[in-house]
Amino acid sequence: MEAVAAAAQARERLRASFASGRTRPAAWRAAQLRGLLRMATEMEDEICAALRADLAKPRTESYVHEISLVTSSCKFALKNLEKWMKPKKVPAGLLTFPSTARVTAEPLGVVLVISAWNYPFLLAIDPVIGAIAAGNAVVLKPSEIAPATSSLLADLLPRYVDSSCIKVVEGGIAETTALLEQKWDKIFYTGNSKVGRIVMSFAAKHLTPVVLELGGKCPVVVDSDIDLHVTAKRIAAGKWGCNNGQACISPDYIITTKSFAPKLLDSLRKVLDKFYGKDLLQSADLSRIVNSNHFNRLKALMDEGMVSNKIVFGGQSDEQQLKIAPTLLLDVPLDSAIMKEEIFGPLLPIITVDKIHDSFALINSMTKPLAAYLFSKDSKLKRQFERNVSAGGMIFNDTSIHLTNQHLPFGGVGESGMGAYHGTFSFEAFTHKKAVLDRNFLGEAKARYPPYTPGKLKILKGVLQGNPLAMVQAAVGCTGRARV
């Protein structure tokens, strides 16, 4: 009950601040964005330390994958804020002549952002940037699974932004549930599909719109017509160089031909040896598994009877350190657990097919992924892949980096999520596009008013069909008794 009362109180305070109009001016929005930019810049050491405590995340990954992306989002929003806020003129249409028409972007109100543990700084702040740019008041609920970063955000945000309009609520399941029981103007959730369904069920009670940034099994199709060494490096960087595979856009499985698989496997082995050394578990450049529950989940996937004999590289683990080595598996059964659920860790199965085009049917037999990757020089194959594979995003000849482009939407499709953000799309995610039509008291058309007559209908049909004479008759106020 205390959690519910605290959640209700937080929401009501922010609703009062929003109702006062405090969040609407461009100056307020820009000031908060500059505050977030200063926080990310000035507190780099503290942020990196928190990420190290939560995930043993290497400083390079902490900066490149989290801090720099937050600063990039802030700068992009500041640069484009006035343009985004400016009403957009649209054609008024014949039926409403004379008039003007525009689309006005208005803030939704008080929004709830529930973030994830795998990129606990980026995935907390990036949606908040969009919510602030759109002029909303915000409650941020960081993930309790990354407690050091959650605590840091609770401490830092009030120092850098307006705490009467932007508030951090820490806690676990009880606090999150209490927040979800409240009525919000939008809920933005990043996490897995199981919790996404729970979030959506709470939102449905109040008809609250949601953005769900989920995940899925992201495939990597590898053709034989490639630069093999570059391909192996880019797959490794997107898998193990992104939080040791604990990323929603991380490559989840590879599909290649039976004839090409040995070459790809050999190249991946060499790259992993160069990146992380012979003793993989001792590498300082690999994040640890976030907690024992996820460690045991990943171990169970790897130790399943039909899978354990498919390991061709890696497989080592250290429960005390919560470390699992980069692991390659060849031709695991499609009905194994590792191929039925999102891995979200350092295990990477390689599935072989007779022909590279067979990969399309395999991918489409599963739920739609958050991202799909193809390595090939064949432009025809690329076009076929883009046309036939549905995914939240797609990259040719690399992995994961599309989220760095502020001009591209980032979001899922089907079970990998709904709604998108980043750049302009973040602003739109937290905005209502309001239609505004402005008329004066001229241009009365008697044909629109009862009593209706066949002549009036004839005039109206002419107007709708673009007949110039009918437009003139409507404008001068013909009653319909004159001929058209």
Side-chain angles (χ1 to χ4, degrees):
M1 291 299 292
E2 288 184 13
V4 174
Q9 186 179 55
R11 186 203 61 177
E12 289 309 310
R13 285 179 177 173
L14 293 192
R15 197 164 292 285
S17 295
F18 177 77
S20 73
R22 186 174 179 83
T23 66
R24 289 178 177 267
W28 182 90
R29 306 182 197 194
Q32 310 317 305
L33 294 171
R34 285 193 293 269
L36 292 177
L37 184 57
R38 286 199 313 276
M39 179 181 76
T41 304
E42 295 172 2
M43 294 294 161
E44 179 183 329
D45 289 345
E46 289 81 356
I47 295 164
C48 288
L51 295 172
R52 188 78 185 171
D54 285 328
L55 292 152
K57 189 169 286 194
R59 187 181 182 106
T60 297
E61 286 187 33
S62 296
Y63 182 79
V64 174
H65 298 165
E66 302 216 36
I67 296 170
S68 76
L69 293 181
V70 165
T71 60
S72 173
S73 291
C74 285
K75 291 175 182 177
F76 192 85
L78 284 165
K79 179 181 178 181
N80 292 283
L81 184 60
E82 289 189 12
K83 180 177 71 174
W84 292 343
M85 291 178 65
K86 187 177 180 180
K88 293 176 174 58
K89 291 184 178 180
V90 296
L94 292 173
L95 284 178
T96 61
F97 179 84
S99 64
T100 60
R102 62 185 177 273
V103 178
T104 300
E106 68 174 10
L108 292 172
V110 182
V111 301
L112 172 64
V113 173
I114 304 174
S115 64
W117 54 262
N118 56 327
Y119 288 82
F121 181 70
L122 172 67
L123 297 180
I125 300 301
D126 211 3
V128 170
I129 290 168
I132 290 170
N136 297 281
V138 190
V139 168
L140 168 63
K141 169 59 184 66
S143 174
E144 70 279 9
I145 299 175
T149 308
S150 176
S151 177
L152 183 67
L153 289 169
D155 176 53
L156 291 183
L157 275 176
R159 296 198 233 162
Y160 286 91
V161 296
D162 183 350
S163 60
S164 71
C165 302
I166 303 159
K167 184 173 178 58
V168 179
V169 175
E170 289 193 278
I173 293 174
E175 288 74 16
T176 305
T177 302
L179 288 169
L180 287 170
E181 287 176 348
Q182 308 302 312
K183 179 175 173 56
W184 305 95
D185 295 297
K186 192 152 197 176
I187 298 173
F188 189 109
Y189 168 75
T190 305
N192 61 61
S193 59
K194 180 181 178 182
V195 178
R197 287 177 168 84
I198 295 171
V199 170
M200 201 166 182
S201 68
F202 275 100
K205 295 177 183 177
H206 300 292
L207 292 180
T208 300
V210 298
V211 172
L212 300 179
E213 294 294 336
L214 307 177
K217 297 186 72 63
C218 300
V220 182
V221 177
V222 181
D223 191 14
S224 58
D225 180 20
I226 56 168
D227 184 317
L228 182 56
H229 183 57
V230 171
T231 295
K233 287 195 296 182
R234 291 178 181 178
I235 291 173
K239 179 68 172 181
W240 301 285
C242 288
N243 203 26
N244 203 7
Q246 298 171 107
C248 55
I249 52 172
S250 168
D252 198 89
Y253 63 102
I254 292 173
I255 308 175
T256 193
T257 59
K258 288 180 172 63
S259 59
F260 193 69
K263 295 178 183 177
L264 177 61
L265 185 56
D266 184 57
S267 188
L268 284 169
R269 284 182 178 130
K270 291 176 181 176
V271 165
L272 286 168
D273 184 62
K274 185 174 182 180
F275 282 9
Y276 303 113
K278 295 293 184 184
D279 192 346
L280 297 164
L281 295 180
Q282 297 306 312
S283 173
D285 295 323
L286 279 170
S287 300
R288 65 168 169 81
I289 307 307
V290 66
N291 59 27
S292 58
N293 288 339
H294 282 277
F295 179 91
N296 292 330
R297 176 185 63 80
L298 290 163
K299 278 284 290 175
L301 292 179
M302 192 166 47
D303 293 343
E304 186 181 6
M306 66 176 86
V307 167
S308 58
N309 64 341
K310 303 293 185 180
I311 296 173
V312 290
F313 180 86
Q316 305 93 331
S317 63
D318 183 335
E319 187 171 6
Q320 188 173 6
Q321 291 188 75
L322 294 177
K323 286 254 185 153
I324 296 178
T327 300
L328 297 168
L329 306 97
L330 184 61
D331 277 329
V332 301
L334 295 180
D335 60 348
S336 59
I338 202 170
M339 287 304 296
K340 285 185 172 180
E341 62 183 74
E342 185 180 6
I343 294 170
F344 221 73
L347 318 179
L348 185 58
I350 300 173
I351 307 298
T352 60
V353 292
D354 293 325
K355 297 178 296 184
I356 202 66
H357 285 84
D358 295 340
S359 62
F360 294 5
L362 177 54
I363 294 168
N364 290 333
S365 70
M366 303 183 185
T367 57
K368 295 179 180 181
L370 184 59
Y373 309 116
L374 169 65
F375 286 83
S376 178
K377 294 178 182 178
D378 186 339
S379 57
K380 183 178 178 181
L381 180 63
K382 290 180 183 179
R383 289 195 300 271
Q384 292 172 331
F385 191 76
E386 184 174 355
R387 185 169 60 247
N388 292 299
V389 173
S390 179
M394 188 171 285
I395 302 181
F396 298 121
N397 299 325
D398 212 326
T399 62
S400 305
I401 60 171
H402 60 304
L403 64 81
T404 65
N405 187 331
Q406 295 289 337
H407 298 279
L408 289 174
F410 182 79
V413 59
E415 289 199 26
S416 59
M418 61 179 68
Y421 72 126
H422 287 182
T424 305
F425 304 95
S426 288
F427 180 83
E428 292 180 350
F430 292 100
T431 299
H432 167 61
K433 295 299 181 66
K434 183 164 61 180
V436 180
L437 185 72
D438 188 358
R439 298 197 72 196
N440 56 33
F441 293 99
L442 301 176
E444 276 296 271
K446 292 182 181 179
R448 69 179 282 201
Y449 301 120
Y452 300 127
T453 67
K456 287 182 177 180
L457 178 58
K458 207 167 187 179
I459 291 173
L460 291 174
K461 281 185 176 180
V463 171
L464 292 170
Q465 293 167 5
N467 185 310
L469 182 56
M471 294 179 200
V472 171
Q473 288 180 311
V476 300
C478 285
T479 63
R481 285 185 284 273
R483 284 185 295 176
V484 179

